[in-house]
Amino acid sequence: MAALEILTIPDERLKQESLAVERFDDELRSFIADLEETRQHGPAAVGIAAPQVGRFQRIVIVDVSNTRKPVPNHGYMVLVNPEITHWDGYEIGREGCLSVPDYTGNVIRATHIRLKAQNPDGETLEYEMEGFEARAVQHEIDHLDGMLFIDRVVSRRTDLFQRKVYQKGKGKKGKSN
Amino acid sequence: MTNWNMLTLVGEDRPGIVAGVTDALYRRQWNLGEASMIRLGGNFTIMMMVSGDGDLYAELKQVAVDMKLRIHVDPIVGMLHQHVAPNIQVRVAGADRAGIVAQVTGALAEAGFNILELESDVAGLRDKPVYIMNIQGYSEAPVESLRDAVAPLVAQGMDVDVSPIETMVG
Ligand SMILES: [Zn+2]
């Protein structure tokens, strides 16, 4: 096992779309172990996505079981080929990213999501989650679509009621921040 | 080390102020750092870190005249990458009256809360104004002790909500 190097902005590869995982083998599981080690290695991150270490496959890890104030959670989750099937509600929350050093900003995310994914052995998983954990999963899945939270940052003055919820792949190309 | 100036510009709001000012800075090879630009009461206000060589005031004089902006330059000791992420948010709403900001921020300061950012606005109807304030800050003291600090104001009928900000890093 080894901690991997994290891509940081303005690395163009962070805008690349990741491909579905098709082979659930030992190589995949060994990569996932390295990805988790990388997550734990850096500043307190509750999630990480494979493209952040330059592997453009649809794999994310989320674990929000260690926050200062406990939040509803499913513990350590490896989500392969994750797909949000339902989202509901929205709120503003503050986010940072291992790939965006020295910056945090406010982002609107769905408060409740339902999710389908596979585990590292290829078995189907289904989750229903809320709040901070749902936020983390949406942030990580964005990475798989080549999106960063800085593509979604809003001002605190933003009127929530005039905004749409989580929009997939919105404004991905040609953004100048 | 970079020498930074804090450039302040204020004037009646009109289209093109930001473009005009930043273009003038760019043409004279000034670098921009962190900035806050916002419309307040029909005025447009800019506070911006600017670094470079030359007489900033003199070089911006023309655009300031053209855009009817008042201009102020302070050399500052400062640098980039000094961010502190807020861990506490305070939302305040109450009938507009003298002293709201002083009372809330005074109670918070005494409890050890450091303000990183404060936005306030007057909402409601003209004859029934409501003062709304959103503060982000950092505190080593727990949320509960900040809530205790503002409890007397809540007892007076002011809405003061103190909540933690958990930044999601992933
Ligand atoms: Zn991220």
Side-chain angles (χ1 to χ4, degrees), chain A residues 43-49 52 64 67-69 71 94-99 102-104 106 109 132 135-136 139-140 143 155-157, chain B residues 34 38-40 80-89 91 117-121 134 136 139 143-144 147 164-170:
Chain A
V46 297
I48 192 166
Q52 289 181 278
V64 302
T67 51
R68 263 185 320 156
K69 284 246 158 115
V71 294
R94 202 167 190 94
E95 298 185 16
C97 180
L98 295 171
S99 298
D102 197 33
Y103 184 77
T104 59
N106 287 299
R109 301 283 187 189
F132 198 72
R135 171 172 299 275
H139 176 114
E140 299 313 331
H143 279 300
S155 151
R156 257 178 298 291
R157 288 199 174 223
Chain B
E34 296 169 19
I38 195 162
R39 184 182 151 108
L40 298 172
L80 300 176
H81 308 289
Q82 298 294 302
H83 296 125
V84 175
N87 65 350
I88 303 273
Q89 170 168 282
R91 295 193 192 87
E117 198 173 317
L118 183 154
E119 291 166 345
S120 69
D121 221 323
N134 186 347
Q136 316 263 314
S139 165
V143 174
E144 291 72 22
R147 283 190 186 132
I165 300 174
E166 185 91 52
T167 301
M168 197 294 296
V169 178

Short mmCIF file of all heavy atoms in Angstrom, two decimals, chain A residues 43-49 52 64 67-69 71 94-99 102-104 106 109 132 135-136 139-140 143 155-157, chain B residues 34 38-40 80-89 91 117-121 134 136 139 143-144 147 164-170:
data_model
loop_
_atom_site.label_atom_id
_atom_site.label_comp_id
_atom_site.label_asym_id
_atom_site.label_seq_id
_atom_site.Cartn_x
_atom_site.Cartn_y
_atom_site.Cartn_z
N PRO A 43 -4.80 16.24 4.62
CA PRO A 43 -5.63 16.95 5.60
C PRO A 43 -7.01 16.31 5.66
O PRO A 43 -7.49 15.80 4.65
CB PRO A 43 -5.71 18.37 5.03
CG PRO A 43 -5.29 18.28 3.60
CD PRO A 43 -4.48 17.04 3.44
N ALA A 44 -7.59 16.31 6.83
CA ALA A 44 -8.83 15.57 7.12
C ALA A 44 -9.88 15.61 6.02
O ALA A 44 -10.71 16.50 5.95
CB ALA A 44 -9.44 16.13 8.42
N ALA A 45 -9.83 14.63 5.14
CA ALA A 45 -10.82 14.54 4.07
C ALA A 45 -11.80 13.42 4.39
O ALA A 45 -11.42 12.36 4.86
CB ALA A 45 -10.12 14.26 2.74
N VAL A 46 -13.09 13.69 4.11
CA VAL A 46 -14.10 12.66 4.35
C VAL A 46 -14.39 11.86 3.09
O VAL A 46 -15.16 10.91 3.12
CB VAL A 46 -15.43 13.27 4.89
CG1 VAL A 46 -15.20 13.93 6.24
CG2 VAL A 46 -16.02 14.26 3.89
N GLY A 47 -13.77 12.27 1.98
CA GLY A 47 -13.99 11.53 0.75
C GLY A 47 -12.84 11.73 -0.23
O GLY A 47 -12.02 12.63 -0.08
N ILE A 48 -12.81 10.83 -1.21
CA ILE A 48 -11.81 10.96 -2.27
C ILE A 48 -12.35 10.22 -3.50
O ILE A 48 -13.13 9.26 -3.36
CB ILE A 48 -10.44 10.40 -1.82
CG1 ILE A 48 -9.33 10.78 -2.79
CG2 ILE A 48 -10.51 8.88 -1.62
CD1 ILE A 48 -7.91 10.55 -2.25
N ALA A 49 -11.97 10.68 -4.66
CA ALA A 49 -12.42 10.05 -5.90
C ALA A 49 -11.20 9.63 -6.71
O ALA A 49 -10.17 10.32 -6.69
CB ALA A 49 -13.28 11.02 -6.71
N GLN A 52 -8.92 11.95 -8.73
CA GLN A 52 -8.06 12.87 -7.98
C GLN A 52 -6.62 12.35 -7.87
O GLN A 52 -5.71 13.12 -7.58
CB GLN A 52 -8.60 13.13 -6.57
CG GLN A 52 -9.86 13.98 -6.56
CD GLN A 52 -10.34 14.22 -5.14
OE1 GLN A 52 -11.01 13.40 -4.55
NE2 GLN A 52 -10.00 15.37 -4.59
N VAL A 64 -17.90 9.59 6.62
CA VAL A 64 -18.14 10.77 7.46
C VAL A 64 -18.41 10.37 8.91
O VAL A 64 -19.04 11.11 9.66
CB VAL A 64 -19.32 11.64 6.92
CG1 VAL A 64 -19.04 12.09 5.50
CG2 VAL A 64 -20.64 10.91 7.00
N THR A 67 -16.71 13.00 12.07
CA THR A 67 -16.83 14.45 12.13
C THR A 67 -16.84 14.93 13.59
O THR A 67 -17.12 14.15 14.50
CB THR A 67 -18.13 14.93 11.44
OG1 THR A 67 -19.21 14.18 11.97
CG2 THR A 67 -18.06 14.73 9.94
N ARG A 68 -16.52 16.24 13.76
CA ARG A 68 -16.49 16.82 15.11
C ARG A 68 -17.80 16.56 15.83
O ARG A 68 -17.86 16.12 16.95
CB ARG A 68 -16.30 18.34 15.00
CG ARG A 68 -14.87 18.80 15.18
CD ARG A 68 -14.81 20.32 15.17
NE ARG A 68 -15.69 20.93 14.17
CZ ARG A 68 -16.16 22.16 14.24
NH1 ARG A 68 -15.85 22.92 15.26
NH2 ARG A 68 -16.94 22.65 13.29
N LYS A 69 -18.91 16.95 15.14
CA LYS A 69 -20.24 16.65 15.66
C LYS A 69 -20.75 15.47 14.86
O LYS A 69 -20.79 15.54 13.64
CB LYS A 69 -21.17 17.86 15.43
CG LYS A 69 -20.92 19.00 16.41
CD LYS A 69 -22.14 19.20 17.32
CE LYS A 69 -21.74 19.91 18.59
NZ LYS A 69 -22.34 21.23 18.75
N VAL A 71 -22.72 12.97 12.63
CA VAL A 71 -23.81 13.16 11.66
C VAL A 71 -24.29 11.77 11.23
O VAL A 71 -23.56 10.80 11.37
CB VAL A 71 -23.32 13.95 10.43
CG1 VAL A 71 -22.95 15.38 10.80
CG2 VAL A 71 -22.13 13.26 9.75
N ARG A 94 -20.53 24.50 3.29
CA ARG A 94 -19.17 24.87 2.93
C ARG A 94 -18.36 23.64 2.52
O ARG A 94 -18.43 22.61 3.18
CB ARG A 94 -18.51 25.57 4.11
CG ARG A 94 -17.36 26.44 3.70
CD ARG A 94 -16.92 27.37 4.81
NE ARG A 94 -15.97 28.32 4.28
CZ ARG A 94 -16.30 29.53 3.84
NH1 ARG A 94 -17.55 29.94 3.90
NH2 ARG A 94 -15.40 30.35 3.36
N GLU A 95 -17.61 23.77 1.44
CA GLU A 95 -16.81 22.65 0.97
C GLU A 95 -15.37 23.07 0.67
O GLU A 95 -15.10 24.23 0.36
CB GLU A 95 -17.43 22.05 -0.32
CG GLU A 95 -18.82 21.49 -0.09
CD GLU A 95 -19.41 20.79 -1.30
OE1 GLU A 95 -18.65 20.46 -2.25
OE2 GLU A 95 -20.64 20.58 -1.30
N GLY A 96 -14.49 22.11 0.79
CA GLY A 96 -13.12 22.24 0.36
C GLY A 96 -12.77 20.97 -0.40
O GLY A 96 -13.60 20.06 -0.49
N CYS A 97 -11.56 20.89 -0.92
CA CYS A 97 -11.23 19.73 -1.76
C CYS A 97 -9.72 19.49 -1.71
O CYS A 97 -8.94 20.45 -1.74
CB CYS A 97 -11.67 20.03 -3.19
SG CYS A 97 -11.35 18.72 -4.36
N LEU A 98 -9.33 18.23 -1.66
CA LEU A 98 -7.90 17.91 -1.68
C LEU A 98 -7.24 18.43 -2.96
O LEU A 98 -6.05 18.73 -2.96
CB LEU A 98 -7.71 16.38 -1.61
CG LEU A 98 -8.17 15.70 -0.31
CD1 LEU A 98 -8.11 14.18 -0.48
CD2 LEU A 98 -7.30 16.14 0.86
N SER A 99 -8.03 18.56 -4.03
CA SER A 99 -7.48 19.01 -5.31
C SER A 99 -7.52 20.53 -5.46
O SER A 99 -7.08 21.05 -6.49
CB SER A 99 -8.26 18.36 -6.47
OG SER A 99 -8.12 16.96 -6.41
N ASP A 102 -6.11 25.44 -0.18
CA ASP A 102 -6.27 26.80 0.33
C ASP A 102 -7.48 27.53 -0.22
O ASP A 102 -7.41 28.71 -0.56
CB ASP A 102 -5.00 27.62 0.02
CG ASP A 102 -4.93 28.88 0.88
OD1 ASP A 102 -5.40 28.84 2.02
OD2 ASP A 102 -4.43 29.90 0.37
N TYR A 103 -8.60 26.86 -0.32
CA TYR A 103 -9.82 27.54 -0.72
C TYR A 103 -11.02 26.76 -0.22
O TYR A 103 -11.03 25.53 -0.29
CB TYR A 103 -9.90 27.69 -2.24
CG TYR A 103 -11.11 28.47 -2.70
CD1 TYR A 103 -11.14 29.85 -2.60
CD2 TYR A 103 -12.23 27.82 -3.19
CE1 TYR A 103 -12.26 30.57 -2.98
CE2 TYR A 103 -13.36 28.52 -3.59
CZ TYR A 103 -13.36 29.90 -3.48
OH TYR A 103 -14.47 30.60 -3.85
N THR A 104 -11.99 27.45 0.34
CA THR A 104 -13.26 26.82 0.66
C THR A 104 -14.37 27.72 0.16
O THR A 104 -14.17 28.93 0.01
CB THR A 104 -13.45 26.60 2.18
OG1 THR A 104 -13.39 27.86 2.84
CG2 THR A 104 -12.39 25.67 2.76
N ASN A 106 -19.00 28.08 -0.60
CA ASN A 106 -20.34 27.57 -0.36
C ASN A 106 -20.94 26.97 -1.62
O ASN A 106 -20.86 27.55 -2.69
CB ASN A 106 -21.23 28.71 0.14
CG ASN A 106 -20.89 29.08 1.56
OD1 ASN A 106 -20.99 28.26 2.45
ND2 ASN A 106 -20.42 30.31 1.75
N ARG A 109 -26.26 21.79 -2.39
CA ARG A 109 -26.37 20.35 -2.68
C ARG A 109 -27.74 19.85 -2.23
O ARG A 109 -28.34 20.43 -1.32
CB ARG A 109 -25.31 19.55 -1.90
CG ARG A 109 -23.88 19.92 -2.15
CD ARG A 109 -23.37 19.37 -3.47
NE ARG A 109 -21.93 19.61 -3.59
CZ ARG A 109 -21.25 19.39 -4.71
NH1 ARG A 109 -21.84 18.94 -5.80
NH2 ARG A 109 -19.95 19.64 -4.75
N PHE A 132 -24.74 15.85 5.53
CA PHE A 132 -23.29 15.93 5.30
C PHE A 132 -22.79 14.75 4.45
O PHE A 132 -21.98 14.92 3.54
CB PHE A 132 -22.59 15.93 6.66
CG PHE A 132 -21.18 16.42 6.64
CD1 PHE A 132 -20.89 17.76 6.46
CD2 PHE A 132 -20.13 15.53 6.82
CE1 PHE A 132 -19.58 18.21 6.46
CE2 PHE A 132 -18.81 15.98 6.83
CZ PHE A 132 -18.54 17.32 6.65
N ARG A 135 -23.90 15.24 0.94
CA ARG A 135 -23.06 16.28 0.35
C ARG A 135 -21.73 15.70 -0.12
O ARG A 135 -21.27 15.95 -1.23
CB ARG A 135 -22.83 17.40 1.38
CG ARG A 135 -21.81 18.46 0.98
CD ARG A 135 -21.78 19.61 1.98
NE ARG A 135 -23.09 20.27 2.02
CZ ARG A 135 -23.47 21.23 1.18
NH1 ARG A 135 -22.65 21.67 0.25
NH2 ARG A 135 -24.68 21.76 1.27
N ALA A 136 -21.12 14.89 0.74
CA ALA A 136 -19.81 14.31 0.41
C ALA A 136 -19.92 13.43 -0.85
O ALA A 136 -19.08 13.50 -1.75
CB ALA A 136 -19.27 13.50 1.59
N HIS A 139 -20.26 15.57 -3.94
CA HIS A 139 -18.96 16.19 -4.26
C HIS A 139 -18.06 15.18 -4.98
O HIS A 139 -17.44 15.50 -5.99
CB HIS A 139 -18.32 16.68 -2.96
CG HIS A 139 -16.95 17.25 -3.09
ND1 HIS A 139 -16.67 18.58 -2.85
CD2 HIS A 139 -15.76 16.69 -3.45
CE1 HIS A 139 -15.37 18.80 -3.05
NE2 HIS A 139 -14.80 17.66 -3.41
N GLU A 140 -18.02 13.94 -4.45
CA GLU A 140 -17.12 12.93 -5.05
C GLU A 140 -17.61 12.49 -6.43
O GLU A 140 -16.81 12.31 -7.34
CB GLU A 140 -16.99 11.71 -4.12
CG GLU A 140 -16.40 12.01 -2.74
CD GLU A 140 -15.16 12.86 -2.74
OE1 GLU A 140 -14.40 12.82 -3.74
OE2 GLU A 140 -14.95 13.61 -1.77
N HIS A 143 -16.50 14.69 -9.14
CA HIS A 143 -15.14 14.43 -9.64
C HIS A 143 -15.17 13.43 -10.79
O HIS A 143 -14.41 13.56 -11.75
CB HIS A 143 -14.26 13.87 -8.51
CG HIS A 143 -13.70 14.90 -7.59
ND1 HIS A 143 -12.88 15.93 -8.01
CD2 HIS A 143 -13.84 15.07 -6.25
CE1 HIS A 143 -12.55 16.69 -6.96
NE2 HIS A 143 -13.11 16.19 -5.88
N SER A 155 -22.49 32.63 -3.71
CA SER A 155 -22.32 33.60 -2.64
C SER A 155 -23.32 33.30 -1.54
O SER A 155 -24.38 32.74 -1.78
CB SER A 155 -22.57 35.00 -3.21
OG SER A 155 -23.07 35.83 -2.20
N ARG A 156 -22.98 33.70 -0.31
CA ARG A 156 -23.93 33.52 0.77
C ARG A 156 -25.19 34.35 0.53
O ARG A 156 -26.23 34.06 1.06
CB ARG A 156 -23.30 33.96 2.09
CG ARG A 156 -22.86 32.79 2.94
CD ARG A 156 -22.20 33.25 4.19
NE ARG A 156 -21.01 34.01 3.93
CZ ARG A 156 -19.93 33.49 3.42
NH1 ARG A 156 -19.89 32.21 3.11
NH2 ARG A 156 -18.86 34.22 3.18
N ARG A 157 -25.05 35.40 -0.28
CA ARG A 157 -26.22 36.22 -0.56
C ARG A 157 -27.18 35.54 -1.52
O ARG A 157 -28.29 36.02 -1.75
CB ARG A 157 -25.80 37.56 -1.17
CG ARG A 157 -25.15 38.45 -0.15
CD ARG A 157 -25.16 39.90 -0.58
NE ARG A 157 -24.66 40.70 0.51
CZ ARG A 157 -25.19 41.85 0.89
NH1 ARG A 157 -26.21 42.35 0.25
NH2 ARG A 157 -24.68 42.50 1.90
N GLU B 34 -6.74 39.21 -3.31
CA GLU B 34 -8.10 38.96 -2.86
C GLU B 34 -8.90 40.25 -2.93
O GLU B 34 -8.35 41.34 -2.76
CB GLU B 34 -8.06 38.44 -1.42
CG GLU B 34 -7.36 37.08 -1.33
CD GLU B 34 -7.06 36.65 0.09
OE1 GLU B 34 -7.69 37.18 1.02
OE2 GLU B 34 -6.21 35.77 0.26
N ILE B 38 -18.95 44.91 -3.90
CA ILE B 38 -20.37 44.70 -3.62
C ILE B 38 -21.12 46.02 -3.70
O ILE B 38 -20.57 47.08 -3.45
CB ILE B 38 -20.55 44.03 -2.23
CG1 ILE B 38 -21.95 43.48 -2.07
CG2 ILE B 38 -20.16 44.97 -1.10
CD1 ILE B 38 -22.08 42.46 -0.96
N ARG B 39 -22.39 45.90 -4.07
CA ARG B 39 -23.26 47.07 -4.15
C ARG B 39 -23.90 47.28 -2.78
O ARG B 39 -24.51 46.39 -2.21
CB ARG B 39 -24.33 46.80 -5.21
CG ARG B 39 -25.25 47.96 -5.47
CD ARG B 39 -26.30 47.56 -6.52
NE ARG B 39 -27.51 48.32 -6.31
CZ ARG B 39 -27.93 49.31 -7.11
NH1 ARG B 39 -27.23 49.63 -8.18
NH2 ARG B 39 -29.03 49.97 -6.84
N LEU B 40 -23.72 48.47 -2.24
CA LEU B 40 -24.31 48.80 -0.93
C LEU B 40 -25.09 50.10 -1.05
O LEU B 40 -24.51 51.15 -1.34
CB LEU B 40 -23.21 48.97 0.13
CG LEU B 40 -22.33 47.75 0.46
CD1 LEU B 40 -21.19 48.15 1.38
CD2 LEU B 40 -23.14 46.63 1.07
N LEU B 80 -1.06 36.62 0.50
CA LEU B 80 -2.08 35.66 0.10
C LEU B 80 -1.92 34.38 0.92
O LEU B 80 -0.97 34.22 1.66
CB LEU B 80 -1.94 35.37 -1.39
CG LEU B 80 -2.09 36.60 -2.30
CD1 LEU B 80 -1.84 36.23 -3.74
CD2 LEU B 80 -3.46 37.24 -2.13
N HIS B 81 -2.85 33.47 0.74
CA HIS B 81 -2.80 32.15 1.39
C HIS B 81 -2.78 32.25 2.92
O HIS B 81 -2.04 31.55 3.59
CB HIS B 81 -1.58 31.35 0.88
CG HIS B 81 -1.54 31.29 -0.61
ND1 HIS B 81 -2.44 30.54 -1.34
CD2 HIS B 81 -0.76 31.92 -1.51
CE1 HIS B 81 -2.19 30.71 -2.62
NE2 HIS B 81 -1.19 31.53 -2.76
N GLN B 82 -3.56 33.18 3.43
CA GLN B 82 -3.69 33.33 4.88
C GLN B 82 -5.12 33.04 5.30
O GLN B 82 -5.62 33.60 6.27
CB GLN B 82 -3.34 34.77 5.29
CG GLN B 82 -1.93 35.18 4.96
CD GLN B 82 -0.92 34.41 5.76
OE1 GLN B 82 -0.95 34.43 6.98
NE2 GLN B 82 -0.04 33.68 5.08
N HIS B 83 -5.80 32.19 4.54
CA HIS B 83 -7.22 31.94 4.82
C HIS B 83 -7.44 31.23 6.15
O HIS B 83 -6.67 30.36 6.52
CB HIS B 83 -7.83 31.08 3.71
CG HIS B 83 -7.82 31.76 2.39
ND1 HIS B 83 -7.25 31.20 1.28
CD2 HIS B 83 -8.29 32.95 2.00
CE1 HIS B 83 -7.37 32.02 0.26
NE2 HIS B 83 -8.01 33.09 0.67
N VAL B 84 -8.46 31.64 6.83
CA VAL B 84 -8.94 30.90 8.00
C VAL B 84 -10.36 30.45 7.66
O VAL B 84 -11.20 31.27 7.30
CB VAL B 84 -8.98 31.82 9.25
CG1 VAL B 84 -9.60 31.08 10.43
CG2 VAL B 84 -7.59 32.32 9.59
N ALA B 85 -10.60 29.16 7.71
CA ALA B 85 -11.94 28.67 7.40
C ALA B 85 -12.85 28.90 8.59
O ALA B 85 -12.49 28.55 9.72
CB ALA B 85 -11.90 27.19 7.04
N PRO B 86 -14.02 29.50 8.39
CA PRO B 86 -14.93 29.73 9.50
C PRO B 86 -15.46 28.41 10.05
O PRO B 86 -15.65 27.47 9.29
CB PRO B 86 -16.06 30.55 8.88
CG PRO B 86 -16.01 30.26 7.42
CD PRO B 86 -14.57 29.96 7.11
N ASN B 87 -15.67 28.37 11.36
CA ASN B 87 -16.26 27.16 11.94
C ASN B 87 -17.59 27.45 12.65
O ASN B 87 -18.21 26.55 13.18
CB ASN B 87 -15.28 26.46 12.89
CG ASN B 87 -14.94 27.29 14.12
OD1 ASN B 87 -15.30 28.46 14.19
ND2 ASN B 87 -14.27 26.69 15.08
N ILE B 88 -17.97 28.73 12.65
CA ILE B 88 -19.23 29.11 13.29
C ILE B 88 -19.96 30.13 12.42
O ILE B 88 -19.35 31.02 11.85
CB ILE B 88 -18.98 29.80 14.66
CG1 ILE B 88 -18.18 28.90 15.60
CG2 ILE B 88 -20.29 30.25 15.29
CD1 ILE B 88 -18.96 27.94 16.43
N GLN B 89 -21.25 29.96 12.35
CA GLN B 89 -22.09 30.90 11.61
C GLN B 89 -23.12 31.48 12.56
O GLN B 89 -23.69 30.76 13.36
CB GLN B 89 -22.76 30.13 10.50
CG GLN B 89 -23.84 30.87 9.78
CD GLN B 89 -24.22 30.11 8.53
OE1 GLN B 89 -23.53 30.16 7.52
NE2 GLN B 89 -25.30 29.36 8.61
N ARG B 91 -26.57 33.86 12.50
CA ARG B 91 -27.59 34.57 11.73
C ARG B 91 -28.44 35.40 12.69
O ARG B 91 -28.86 34.89 13.73
CB ARG B 91 -28.51 33.60 11.00
CG ARG B 91 -27.84 32.77 9.93
CD ARG B 91 -28.93 32.10 9.08
NE ARG B 91 -28.36 31.08 8.22
CZ ARG B 91 -28.16 29.83 8.60
NH1 ARG B 91 -28.49 29.44 9.81
NH2 ARG B 91 -27.65 28.95 7.76
N GLU B 117 -16.15 37.44 8.40
CA GLU B 117 -16.98 38.02 7.35
C GLU B 117 -18.34 38.37 7.92
O GLU B 117 -18.91 37.60 8.68
CB GLU B 117 -17.14 36.99 6.24
CG GLU B 117 -17.58 37.55 4.92
CD GLU B 117 -17.56 36.48 3.83
OE1 GLU B 117 -16.59 35.70 3.78
OE2 GLU B 117 -18.52 36.42 3.08
N LEU B 118 -18.83 39.55 7.58
CA LEU B 118 -20.15 39.95 8.06
C LEU B 118 -20.90 40.61 6.92
O LEU B 118 -20.38 41.51 6.27
CB LEU B 118 -20.00 40.93 9.23
CG LEU B 118 -21.28 41.40 9.93
CD1 LEU B 118 -21.00 41.82 11.36
CD2 LEU B 118 -21.96 42.56 9.20
N GLU B 119 -22.10 40.15 6.67
CA GLU B 119 -22.95 40.79 5.68
C GLU B 119 -24.22 41.21 6.40
O GLU B 119 -24.78 40.42 7.15
CB GLU B 119 -23.38 39.81 4.60
CG GLU B 119 -22.30 39.36 3.68
CD GLU B 119 -22.76 38.15 2.89
OE1 GLU B 119 -23.78 37.54 3.26
OE2 GLU B 119 -22.09 37.83 1.92
N SER B 120 -24.67 42.42 6.14
CA SER B 120 -25.93 42.78 6.74
C SER B 120 -26.76 43.55 5.75
O SER B 120 -26.26 44.14 4.80
CB SER B 120 -25.70 43.60 8.01
OG SER B 120 -25.18 44.85 7.67
N ASP B 121 -28.05 43.53 5.97
CA ASP B 121 -28.97 44.15 5.05
C ASP B 121 -30.20 44.59 5.83
O ASP B 121 -30.47 44.07 6.91
CB ASP B 121 -29.38 43.13 3.98
CG ASP B 121 -29.43 43.77 2.60
OD1 ASP B 121 -29.86 44.94 2.53
OD2 ASP B 121 -29.04 43.10 1.63
N ASN B 134 -25.63 38.22 8.65
CA ASN B 134 -25.07 36.87 8.56
C ASN B 134 -23.57 36.98 8.83
O ASN B 134 -22.85 37.68 8.11
CB ASN B 134 -25.34 36.32 7.16
CG ASN B 134 -24.92 34.87 7.03
OD1 ASN B 134 -24.23 34.33 7.88
ND2 ASN B 134 -25.33 34.25 5.94
N GLN B 136 -19.86 35.04 9.62
CA GLN B 136 -19.07 33.82 9.61
C GLN B 136 -17.80 34.12 10.39
O GLN B 136 -17.18 35.16 10.20
CB GLN B 136 -18.65 33.45 8.18
CG GLN B 136 -19.74 33.58 7.15
CD GLN B 136 -20.40 32.26 6.87
OE1 GLN B 136 -19.74 31.25 6.70
NE2 GLN B 136 -21.72 32.26 6.84
N SER B 139 -14.03 30.41 16.14
CA SER B 139 -14.02 30.42 17.60
C SER B 139 -13.48 29.10 18.12
O SER B 139 -13.85 28.04 17.65
CB SER B 139 -15.45 30.63 18.11
OG SER B 139 -15.52 30.30 19.48
N VAL B 143 -19.84 26.03 20.44
CA VAL B 143 -21.09 26.69 20.03
C VAL B 143 -21.96 27.03 21.24
O VAL B 143 -22.54 28.11 21.31
CB VAL B 143 -21.89 25.75 19.08
CG1 VAL B 143 -23.24 26.33 18.76
CG2 VAL B 143 -21.10 25.50 17.81
N GLU B 144 -22.01 26.12 22.21
CA GLU B 144 -22.89 26.31 23.35
C GLU B 144 -22.55 27.59 24.12
O GLU B 144 -23.43 28.33 24.54
CB GLU B 144 -22.82 25.10 24.31
CG GLU B 144 -23.41 23.82 23.75
CD GLU B 144 -22.58 23.17 22.64
OE1 GLU B 144 -21.35 23.45 22.59
OE2 GLU B 144 -23.13 22.40 21.83
N ARG B 147 -23.79 30.53 22.26
CA ARG B 147 -25.25 30.64 22.41
C ARG B 147 -25.59 31.26 23.76
O ARG B 147 -26.48 32.11 23.85
CB ARG B 147 -25.90 29.25 22.31
CG ARG B 147 -25.97 28.78 20.87
CD ARG B 147 -26.83 27.52 20.73
NE ARG B 147 -26.74 27.05 19.36
CZ ARG B 147 -26.51 25.80 18.99
NH1 ARG B 147 -26.39 24.86 19.91
NH2 ARG B 147 -26.41 25.47 17.72
N PRO B 164 -22.76 25.58 14.06
CA PRO B 164 -21.42 25.22 13.61
C PRO B 164 -21.37 25.11 12.09
O PRO B 164 -22.37 24.81 11.44
CB PRO B 164 -21.18 23.85 14.24
CG PRO B 164 -22.54 23.30 14.51
CD PRO B 164 -23.48 24.45 14.68
N ILE B 165 -20.23 25.39 11.51
CA ILE B 165 -20.00 25.15 10.08
C ILE B 165 -19.02 24.00 10.00
O ILE B 165 -17.89 24.09 10.49
CB ILE B 165 -19.36 26.36 9.38
CG1 ILE B 165 -20.25 27.59 9.48
CG2 ILE B 165 -19.06 26.03 7.92
CD1 ILE B 165 -19.60 28.86 8.94
N GLU B 166 -19.43 22.91 9.44
CA GLU B 166 -18.52 21.78 9.25
C GLU B 166 -18.15 21.79 7.77
O GLU B 166 -19.00 21.56 6.91
CB GLU B 166 -19.22 20.48 9.63
CG GLU B 166 -18.35 19.26 9.58
CD GLU B 166 -17.64 18.95 10.90
OE1 GLU B 166 -18.29 18.87 11.95
OE2 GLU B 166 -16.40 18.79 10.87
N THR B 167 -16.92 22.15 7.47
CA THR B 167 -16.51 22.19 6.06
C THR B 167 -16.25 20.77 5.57
O THR B 167 -15.50 20.02 6.17
CB THR B 167 -15.23 23.04 5.89
OG1 THR B 167 -15.51 24.36 6.37
CG2 THR B 167 -14.81 23.12 4.44
N MET B 168 -16.91 20.43 4.47
CA MET B 168 -16.79 19.08 3.91
C MET B 168 -15.59 19.09 2.95
O MET B 168 -15.63 19.77 1.94
CB MET B 168 -18.09 18.75 3.16
CG MET B 168 -18.32 17.31 2.86
SD MET B 168 -17.18 16.56 1.70
CE MET B 168 -17.57 17.50 0.24
N VAL B 169 -14.55 18.37 3.30
CA VAL B 169 -13.39 18.30 2.41
C VAL B 169 -13.32 16.92 1.76
O VAL B 169 -13.35 15.91 2.46
CB VAL B 169 -12.07 18.59 3.18
CG1 VAL B 169 -10.86 18.47 2.25
CG2 VAL B 169 -12.13 19.95 3.83
N GLY B 170 -13.26 16.91 0.44
CA GLY B 170 -13.25 15.62 -0.24
C GLY B 170 -12.71 15.68 -1.63
O GLY B 170 -12.26 16.70 -2.08
#
